[in-house]
Amino acid sequence: MAEALNGLKRTNMCGDLRETHISNKVTVMGWVGTKRNLGGLVFIDLRDRTGLLQVVFGEEINKEAFQKADLVKPEYCIAITGEIIKRQSPNDNMPTGQVELKGASIKILSESETPPIYIKEDLDASENIRLKYRYLDLRRPDMQKILMIRHKTAKVIRDFLDENGFLEIETPMLTKSTPEGARDYLVPSRNYPGNFYALPQSPQLFKQLLMVSGYDKYFQIARCFRDEDLRSNRQPEFTQVDIEMSFVEEEDVIAVNEALIKKVFKEVVNEDVMLPMKRITYKEAMDKYGSDKPDLRFGMEIVDISEEVRECEFVVFKNAIDNGGSVRAIKVTNSADMGRKKLDKLGEFVKTYKAKGLAYIAYKEDEIKSPIAKFLSETQMQAILNKVEAKTGDLVLIVADKDSIVLQSLGALRLQLAKELEILKDNVEFNFVWVTEFPLVDYNEEENRYVAAHHPFTMPMDEDLQYLESEPGRVRAKAYDMVLNGEELGGGSIRIHDSSLQETMFKVLGFTQEKAWERFGFLLEAFKFGPPPHGGLAFGLDRIVMFLAGTENIKDVIAFPKNQNAFCPMTQAPNMVDDKQLEELGITKAEIKK
Amino acid sequence: MAEALNGLKRTNMCGDLRETHISNKVTVMGWVGTKRNLGGLVFIDLRDRTGLLQVVFGEEINKEAFQKADLVKPEYCIAITGEIIKRQSPNDNMPTGQVELKGASIKILSESETPPIYIKEDLDASENIRLKYRYLDLRRPDMQKILMIRHKTAKVIRDFLDENGFLEIETPMLTKSTPEGARDYLVPSRNYPGNFYALPQSPQLFKQLLMVSGYDKYFQIARCFRDEDLRSNRQPEFTQVDIEMSFVEEEDVIAVNEALIKKVFKEVVNEDVMLPMKRITYKEAMDKYGSDKPDLRFGMEIVDISEEVRECEFVVFKNAIDNGGSVRAIKVTNSADMGRKKLDKLGEFVKTYKAKGLAYIAYKEDEIKSPIAKFLSETQMQAILNKVEAKTGDLVLIVADKDSIVLQSLGALRLQLAKELEILKDNVEFNFVWVTEFPLVDYNEEENRYVAAHHPFTMPMDEDLQYLESEPGRVRAKAYDMVLNGEELGGGSIRIHDSSLQETMFKVLGFTQEKAWERFGFLLEAFKFGPPPHGGLAFGLDRIVMFLAGTENIKDVIAFPKNQNAFCPMTQAPNMVDDKQLEELGITKAEIKK
């Protein structure tokens, strides 16, 4: 019994109606939320993307409409015409709660079966059902709100960058596979059987070429792809706000980008971000927080107590220090009475970060309880407590090992404790910080070579350039990450714009000259023709929207995400294709999924 | 001898400097255009994306700068600081021609080899060289202007749609292969070896699902992909302005979209588009112009003269009519004296459209010259001339065959003549027209079945719905194309939003119910839950920008296009990949390109 519009026009959106509309004749269209029969009347909550409006039908108002209204069920799509009147029993919890619509006529535009998930906020359905019926999941008001936030975020970003002279330029999706970094998604070529395009992991090289071309300021909100095993906050395709500028140094890039973020948080969620943002070097971030994306909303900083315990009897501490490692601690306020079971669990926790164990000192009112007390002199014990500034009631947790393990495990422990102790429970702050002076390269034990910490196009810091070939691990980069509440929002760098320096960099990364030219020859070639100094940054749009929308699940901010297996339960993609299609591409299946 | 910026900041862009800046101390950065030594001075035209600025160096001004300036060559990237002064010999052809910069210091930011193509407007280089050195090609001012037009076009579109309540929502790039229409680009799945994603040919199904989800008004400037053999105006990836609205009928979609286009042409090139745009039905367009994208900038309409020649002796005409075809003509004004050779060439031309030949009547002052005159009575001849409204000096060209061949060949001939006779030579008009009432399906002789004329989701016109199963070829669709100067800018339709009608449609297209559900089950399922009436449209952004920029080559409006073989001469994509990569994807090469 679906009816056509036949010229019927919507006059208003449901959520917009207010007392100022009283006695207006309006036509609204949307979905039936709830329907109630009460006192010989039919009440319908009609929903569109702007909100809910109560509609009342009665035999007295219009008999035909009343009878038809009585037939509708939740999620029917309907159009209603009638007069806005003052509501008998106002609902102050609803923006439209002061009025209601007197339903004089109704069209049933389409019917609905009972939906497999509830169309309501705070749905508690399995992820698989939500993704399978994504079109219903997306009908829920909280999902609609998130996608509206996403739209607005992208709009504010584009407006800001346009006003500041940036040009949005689209770069190719079918591009060259350059296997350095994550795994590429490949696209077989029909014209060149056995050859492949790659979907871009980022527009990095193209934006650098655009700088060589003199576009001066570029941006793009670009889809990027990584064929990696998915963690909760990863998706095979994600969206990057990609920015590049010419004739700039680090400070210029930082200034534009923090102004951009300030604008976004103000316009989208009315939050004032104070500028300039804090800065911290990579080294300090690692030393104090054991992380290159430190969460600065709380203290519990890591303290190096190697000096204090150097002379102690505890062989674990001594060994760590003797082998070039360290002994470090964090202080947990008012936690001296933490039970043995919980402490054991924390010990297990740090072991997942390769720490061999977790020592503790519980500074109780009446005693200092610690399994390692017997190895420490009173002076040494006091020195530790002094160093970490422990007061009565505090708990000190200690890891000893090589630095990377100590820092990583204590950094993770710090975050874990913040979660367990609900330190951030009512914290609503947005705590931004720039992390600077990243290492240029990391040593990769597996590959037995240095790999780029950011990417191979990052400029070394001037003062470290001299060590590039002799001691690459010592070289810091002109690279910066913007971190918010312990998550990386974006990162970038000043780029190399010199062919020979770029070639040296590839050499440091273990590329032969031939291999460097085979993969990146077009960039090296381009740098022969007056490349400008340039640098930029890329933000994760999905991540930004997660913060603005207050969700921790990346799937909530993407209209049609994939599940953990990069599969779409709704469309059933990926799927089998005809052999004829593969034949044209010059490929065959090596094995077939059953 | 590349120098670093070391804190030097650009103060102005080259092209912005005017007499108001005289005696300002400025720093500009850009590329050396020309360098001339004249009267003991060095003159450099410095170029950035805003334009050119003349810089003068002299021993008197600054000796060191003068000497350094003398070393630079074209396309060096440099920074210059100095004072803006009144130019000795103004150049009125340059926006900055009233001033020049007195170069007090210069930094050579990077050097340049002699570029393989000239960095100038109206370059006459081969396409291959331009694409191989695309970063230099893009440095040319006319290419920069086009990409700025493209940026602005996208910006105006987004602003307009945002103001009108549309939400930009990103849809997946890794989606399901549904081989109906063009050939998909496939992406092998690593998690499900032997299975494939497809890159989207358009976001059609996702935008319809978003309507089911209640987003009401959606848009997206979306990358789309088709693995087809490339013609000059096709690229493997292209950009679509994709729009969809709920609770609308054809008039609503048309109104929003013509307002959008009016806004774009006004804001980007200051052209006033008169609304409402003209409309023409598909049938009228075919009958008068032999095309569903008629160029209305000139007449030369096709006239049916079947009635006038029905009784004539010419067997070709008689046969055509007897076999259900027709005889039609176009009149070419003042072309009665067209030579035999040219007429023969036109005859060859129509043969490429399967016409068997081209008859003509040259209505000269002193005679009527026509090879078919002998078959026509004087009355019949006069009737033809009257029907086509020929005057002395006109040429009448006639094709007789079945309708499709007659219309297609005369339609093509009409465009060909307009080109040859330079009818549109000084025409600068933007002539828009909506073509409406398209057929719903076309009969495909090869596949021996009906195929969707637009796509399988298009709603039939109400009055033709009754013929859907009995005579599908007779059914017109609620579909509309916006045509500009004979090119399709965009097209769309009201969609089916009823599961059973959609299933019928698939049946008409020869799908078994099983096949329909296998491919499009998620859409059919979604339609069970209160889908709203909806419709939309998609514009080709590349095409729009081509018009705004005045270029006929799609490669000019895409920063990094592919060549005719879908190959990128710059990056050399597609390329070979490691066997290990393929192994992970569960595919093997069937053959290898040498």
Side-chain angles (χ1 to χ4, degrees), chain A residues 390-499:
Chain A
K391 291 196 188 63
T392 315
D394 293 349
L395 175 72
V396 182
L397 300 171
I398 304 169
V399 174
D401 212 310
K402 58 181 191 177
D403 285 353
S404 60
I405 289 175
V406 172
L407 292 172
Q408 228 199 329
S409 57
L410 284 177
L413 182 63
R414 175 179 175 267
L415 295 177
Q416 180 63 19
L417 283 164
K419 206 185 286 174
E420 284 184 15
L421 304 175
E422 298 189 334
I423 287 177
L424 295 168
K425 199 180 167 200
D426 298 313
N427 189 308
V428 293
E429 119 191 63
F430 291 111
N431 197 319
F432 290 91
V433 60
W434 285 104
V435 181
T436 62
E437 300 184 16
F438 273 86
L440 184 71
V441 294
D442 294 326
Y443 194 75
N444 185 310
E445 309 273 356
E446 264 174 61
E447 301 186 29
N448 196 25
R449 65 167 182 121
Y450 286 100
V451 295
H454 270 66
H455 54 55
F457 315 106
T458 305
M459 181 81 101
M461 280 175 68
D462 300 336
E463 46 271 61
D464 294 353
L465 199 49
Q466 54 187 313
Y467 309 114
L468 182 56
E469 293 190 81
S470 55
E471 289 180 74
R474 173 175 178 172
V475 178
R476 290 164 301 161
K478 294 187 179 177
Y480 31 78
D481 277 2
M482 187 190 286
V483 171
L484 169 55
N485 295 356
E487 300 277 354
E488 182 193 330
L489 272 199
S493 63
I494 297 298
R495 325 299 183 183
I496 295 169
H497 71 280
D498 179 278
S499 243

Side-chain angles (χ1 to χ4, degrees), chain A residues 49 139 174 197 529 531 562 566, chain B residues 139 165 174 197 529 562 566:
Chain A
R49 79 174 200 212
R139 199 184 274 178
L174 296 173
Y197 305 97
F529 302 102
K562 304 285 190 296
Chain B
R139 199 184 275 180
L174 296 173
Y197 304 97
F529 302 102
K562 303 285 191 297

Side-chain angles (χ1 to χ4, degrees), chain A residues 179 183 186 447, chain B residues 190 577-587 589:
Chain A
R183 197 184 285 109
L186 297 180
E447 301 186 29
Chain B
R190 189 170 49 90
V577 299
D578 297 343
D579 287 340
K580 182 171 155 267
Q581 286 176 275
L582 300 187
E583 204 175 290
E584 286 183 311
L585 299 170
I587 56 175
K589 289 179 224 171

